[in-house]
Amino acid sequence: MDIPATPAAAVEALTELLDGRWGHVRRQARQRMSELPSPATYDLSTEEHRAQVFGELKLLAKAGYPRVGFPKRYGGDGDTGGSLTSFEMLGFGDLSVMVKAGVQWGLFGGAVEALGTERHHDAHLRAIMELDLPGCFAMTETGHGSDVQSLRTTATYDQATGQFELHTPHEGARKDYIGNAARDGRMAVVFAQLVVGGESRGVHALLVRVRDDEGNPVPGVRIEDCGRKAGLNGVDNGRIWFDHLRVPRESLLNRYGDVAEDGTYTSPIDGDGRRFFTMLGTLIRGRISVAGAAGSATKSALTIAVRYGLVRRQFAAPGHDQEVVVLDYLAHQRKLLPALATTYALHFAQEELVTTLHELSEANDAAVEYTDGEQNTEAHERRQRELESRAAGLKAATTWHATRTIQACREACGGAGYLAENRLPQLKADTDVFTTFEGDNTVLLQLVAKGLLTGYRQHVGELGSVGMARFVADQVVETVIERTAARSLIDKLVNAVTPNDDETDLLDRGWHLKLFEDREKHVLDTAVRRLRKAGDAGADPFQVFNNAQDHVLRAARVHVERIVLEAFVAAIDRCPDEAVAALLTRVCDLHVLSQIEADLDWFLGHGRMTATRAKAVTGAVNDLCQHLRPHVADLVDAFAIPDSLVAAPIAVGAEADRQAAQQAHDAARA
């Protein structure tokens, strides 16, 4: 289990691997963000914070930050992956800036680009990019958040005037928690039930003016400030009501549905439901962006806690005068190192997700569309569905991980971690809402599970019980459980595992992959059988699903954990530096064994592991923590977060003390 020492060059190589395909974007972001105000904003009033954040957005716009992802014909770079990576990097700074930028250029601008057509692009995209047109993304309502299909705001077409009448029919239909609404927004993409000729056509989006040039709400629009929040107070969240507001017919973002002057409704996609999900699928970048930013905030918290833990001393060992560095205690290592290992795993899974979206976006740009709006290959559509499922699952996994890890970092720093100047309380407050915005995490896991169950049903079809059992035994891994990367490598590792798991080395990667794969297959299979058995008995469909919700959510969770592990394996495989690969191998071991340890009840209860082997897992986690202890500074240094963005005295000062001590130690040895 020994790990070779990692020289400075290896740390740089690790940073290069982490930076990945869009390393140039990350380097530029570090330089650009180092010039922004400090992310420590705890002593600002709400208005001061909002003003500072809007000022920083202006600096980002001037520096060209938003241009990366927008179309080239409007002055952008057309680089989807670069845009997502740039947004992820904002997570190292003031998270209010990140959210505000996400609202302006990701949600508002992204919706205009994805749902609008040339008339909207020509009129507004440049102004959106340059921040001359601040905007809002008005989807969520007081009564409906995750259930977007059931929004109550209406947009009724009036043929006599050629206008839509936008209306909030009751209090539960007000637009709520809308970023940019309380202070800066001038226009909004408003999602509403489209009513044409007395017939509802489902949820569509309209581009609507909500404030005049002086910043006052336009007649027919009422705006209210949501007020002080637990965190992210640099974002001006507000509530919006519409009182029979008249907007031009051309306000409809009409890529997927249009209304002619005479009231004729047309769409390139048949079916309200199918059209709705196609529309939402174009907005997938929001979930991917939140996951990336949550990962950055987690890295900031770990950097602070690890650096402090390397210099903070507590209690002297018997026979020694000097107190022990707290990171030398196994309990302290247990708090931070498994979380650090999982942060690495999620980083590589996020990178893979961004790459997939980027490649699909390029394919979309190059593809010829048929009249029904479908792309020209079935494989492309399947890949799009997989992407949407993985984006939902990774957003849930990464934001929950951020919540747990930042809390652990706060505790690991004791009273120092409770001081506002050390950023951990602010990181905790600012990221807490990540688990529920851009989709409630529990709902998102249900979307993941629904995709898995749908894929299962498509492959099983009407097979009888014998046929289905044979399918489960022989085919489910190859057809339902899709690989993420390095498929041939993963197959090779899995096939090399000995039949007797008790004889397999706990650090055998093939055993890890096989165990996660087997767990996913079993949970999915039993979930299907449970749902089918209840359905065959004639139970109410809702009650059937509701009663099995725990099982369904587990299926989604273990699916995501398998995807994350495979992404880590693929990253190690492509690492060109032997020292870095050796270090990452042990980091991956810690990640996977800590995940197994957390789910030992399942592995023991389902006969996948003996009690003796389960105890050995805990021992192996302890050993890995102690073996990785000498490398923990390198692992956080590889994140390459500038000190001005770390911005916590206990981390910046601790790092200076650690380096000075190391230099003195090296000089003494010389």
Side-chain angles (χ1 to χ4, degrees):
M1 194 183 287
D2 289 340
I3 308 168
T6 47
V11 176
E12 293 176 6
L14 181 53
T15 298
E16 186 175 347
L17 182 69
L18 287 167
D19 282 356
R21 179 173 176 175
W22 287 277
H24 63 289
V25 174
R26 295 183 189 276
R27 290 188 291 272
Q28 291 169 3
R30 291 183 185 109
Q31 177 60 40
R32 181 177 62 237
M33 293 177 66
S34 296
E35 299 168 359
L36 294 176
S38 169
T41 56
Y42 57 90
D43 58 350
L44 298 179
S45 69
T46 300
E47 181 52 36
E48 287 172 338
H49 196 182
R50 288 177 176 180
Q52 177 172 299
V53 167
F54 195 57
E56 291 186 47
L57 247 63
K58 291 178 180 178
L59 294 175
L60 289 173
K62 185 177 180 180
Y65 159 83
R67 291 200 298 266
V68 178
F70 281 97
K72 292 181 179 179
R73 66 174 295 185
Y74 298 103
D77 297 333
D79 185 350
T80 300
S83 176
L84 290 167
T85 302
S86 189
F87 184 87
E88 177 184 326
M89 295 299 290
L90 289 179
F92 288 119
D94 178 2
L95 291 172
S96 286
V97 175
M98 179 274 296
V99 171
K100 184 94 165 174
V103 170
Q104 172 65 21
W105 294 305
L107 294 177
F108 175 60
V112 173
E113 180 192 349
L115 303 180
T117 52
E118 191 170 318
R119 71 189 186 206
H120 306 105
H121 300 164
D122 290 345
H124 302 297
L125 280 187
R126 285 187 182 274
I128 291 171
M129 281 191 290
E130 294 169 6
L131 202 60
D132 292 334
L133 179 59
C136 313
F137 185 80
M139 177 182 281
T140 299
E141 295 179 357
T142 302
H144 290 90
S146 298
D147 185 10
V148 178
Q149 273 187 296
S150 298
L151 296 177
R152 293 292 183 256
T153 300
T154 56
T156 305
Y157 183 65
D158 181 356
Q159 185 178 340
T161 62
Q163 296 175 320
F164 287 104
E165 185 180 88
L166 198 61
H167 185 60
T168 303
H170 54 78
E171 193 67 12
R174 72 183 183 190
K175 295 298 180 182
D176 207 352
Y177 225 90
I178 308 303
N180 266 4
R183 181 182 185 272
D184 298 319
R186 294 295 185 268
M187 294 190 81
V189 171
V190 180
F191 288 80
Q193 299 287 347
L194 191 71
V195 181
V196 183
E199 181 180 358
S200 176
R201 293 291 184 171
V203 173
H204 287 63
L206 299 91
L207 186 59
V208 177
R209 171 72 64 174
V210 293
R211 278 192 177 87
D212 59 26
D213 293 338
E214 283 70 45
N216 301 308
V218 301
V221 175
R222 178 161 65 97
I223 300 174
E224 179 182 286
D225 197 324
C226 286
R228 191 83 179 169
K229 308 180 293 290
L232 299 174
N233 284 298
V235 183
D236 51 324
N237 294 96
R239 305 182 178 102
I240 307 176
W241 293 258
F242 301 101
D243 184 10
H244 301 285
L245 177 68
R246 294 276 178 164
V247 298
R249 181 177 61 86
E250 292 77 14
S251 296
L252 181 66
L253 295 175
N254 60 332
R255 180 177 179 184
Y256 296 108
D258 203 2
V259 177
E261 193 172 350
D262 64 0
T264 302
Y265 178 83
T266 57
S267 173
I269 301 175
D270 294 330
D272 291 349
R274 187 159 171 261
R275 180 171 54 252
F276 170 76
F277 285 108
T278 301
M279 288 171 56
L280 286 194
T282 64
L283 304 176
I284 190 175
R285 298 183 192 185
R287 285 172 184 164
I288 297 177
S289 297
V290 169
S296 296
T298 305
K299 292 167 190 170
S300 292
L302 283 164
T303 298
I304 293 168
V306 164
R307 287 183 175 177
Y308 183 63
L310 287 168
V311 297
R312 178 73 164 95
R313 294 178 178 273
Q314 192 83 284
F315 306 111
H320 295 269
D321 294 333
Q322 192 173 37
E323 292 177 306
V324 178
V325 172
V326 294
L327 252 176
D328 286 341
Y329 290 107
L330 177 62
H332 205 80
Q333 295 167 11
R334 276 277 195 161
K335 285 182 181 179
L336 299 179
L337 269 63
L340 179 58
T342 297
T343 300
Y344 266 79
L346 289 167
H347 174 95
F348 293 124
Q350 173 76 7
E351 180 184 23
E352 194 171 285
L353 187 65
V354 169
T355 299
T356 301
L357 177 60
H358 180 83
E359 292 173 353
L360 276 173
S361 297
E362 289 184 326
N364 283 336
D365 291 341
V368 176
E369 294 191 355
Y370 291 119
T371 55
D372 63 356
E374 291 185 317
Q375 295 298 329
N376 57 357
T377 65
E378 182 180 339
H380 180 88
E381 288 190 344
R382 177 178 57 79
R383 202 174 177 206
Q384 179 70 34
R385 289 193 298 271
E386 290 172 4
L387 175 70
E388 292 169 9
S389 175
R390 289 178 187 171
L394 281 174
K395 185 270 180 181
T398 305
T399 55
W400 269 328
H401 175 68
T403 296
R404 292 189 299 268
T405 301
I406 293 171
Q407 174 62 22
C409 289
R410 207 295 300 158
E411 292 181 20
C413 294
Y418 198 60
L419 290 175
E421 69 174 7
N422 288 320
R423 287 198 69 208
L424 290 170
Q426 189 173 334
L427 285 169
K428 185 171 184 253
D430 286 350
T431 57
D432 193 57
V433 76
F434 285 18
T435 61
T436 52
F437 80 179
E438 285 301 313
D440 176 272
N441 282 357
T442 300
V443 175
L444 292 183
L445 284 187
Q446 290 183 71
L447 292 178
V448 175
K450 181 181 178 182
L452 293 172
L453 294 170
T454 299
Y456 193 111
R457 185 175 65 247
Q458 288 173 343
H459 288 292
V460 173
E462 299 301 322
L463 289 175
S465 58
V466 175
M468 189 175 80
R470 185 177 298 115
F471 169 82
V472 169
D474 301 333
Q475 301 296 324
V476 67
V477 172
E478 299 303 324
T479 54
V480 177
I481 301 179
E482 298 290 344
R483 300 283 188 206
T484 51
R487 177 166 188 154
S488 60
L489 169 66
I490 290 166
D491 285 341
K492 181 180 179 180
L493 291 170
V494 170
N495 293 334
V497 179
T498 59
N500 188 345
D501 284 350
D502 274 348
E503 297 177 358
T504 305
D505 185 348
L506 282 173
L507 303 185
D508 184 279
R509 190 71 70 232
W511 179 70
H512 298 160
L513 292 161
K514 180 183 177 184
L515 196 66
F516 275 42
E517 189 176 86
D518 174 66
R519 179 180 57 167
E520 180 180 355
K521 182 179 73 171
H522 180 89
V523 173
L524 179 59
D525 172 41
T526 52
V528 170
R529 292 176 185 275
R530 181 176 175 182
L531 292 168
R532 178 171 289 182
K533 182 179 179 180
D536 290 345
D540 174 70
F542 169 77
Q543 204 59 48
V544 167
F545 187 83
N546 196 45
N547 290 344
Q549 208 166 25
D550 59 329
H551 205 149
V552 167
L553 291 172
R554 174 176 280 276
R557 180 177 64 79
V558 299
H559 169 73
V560 174
E561 289 180 2
R562 194 263 305 167
I563 284 174
V564 170
L565 173 57
E566 291 190 359
F568 205 157
V569 172
I572 296 171
D573 184 57
R574 66 175 179 266
C575 178
D577 187 290
E578 290 185 9
V580 170
L583 176 59
L584 285 178
T585 296
R586 296 287 82 87
V587 174
C588 186
D589 289 337
L590 179 57
H591 160 69
V592 68
L593 288 179
S594 63
Q595 296 285 308
I596 292 171
E597 185 182 43
D599 208 15
L600 277 179
D601 285 351
W602 188 92
F603 290 112
L604 285 166
H606 290 80
R608 265 55 178 187
M609 199 174 291
T610 64
T612 300
R613 195 161 177 81
K615 292 177 182 177
V617 168
T618 295
V621 170
N622 291 341
D623 289 344
L624 283 164
C625 284
Q626 292 171 341
H627 278 83
L628 284 168
R629 159 64 182 88
H631 306 271
V632 68
D634 296 332
L635 290 169
V636 296
D637 287 350
F639 296 146
I641 309 172
D643 283 348
S644 62
L645 297 180
V646 175
I650 58 169
V652 177
E655 178 62 7
D657 291 344
R658 182 182 69 83
Q659 290 181 1
Q662 184 63 47
Q663 289 171 359
H665 175 73
D666 292 343
R669 289 187 63 185

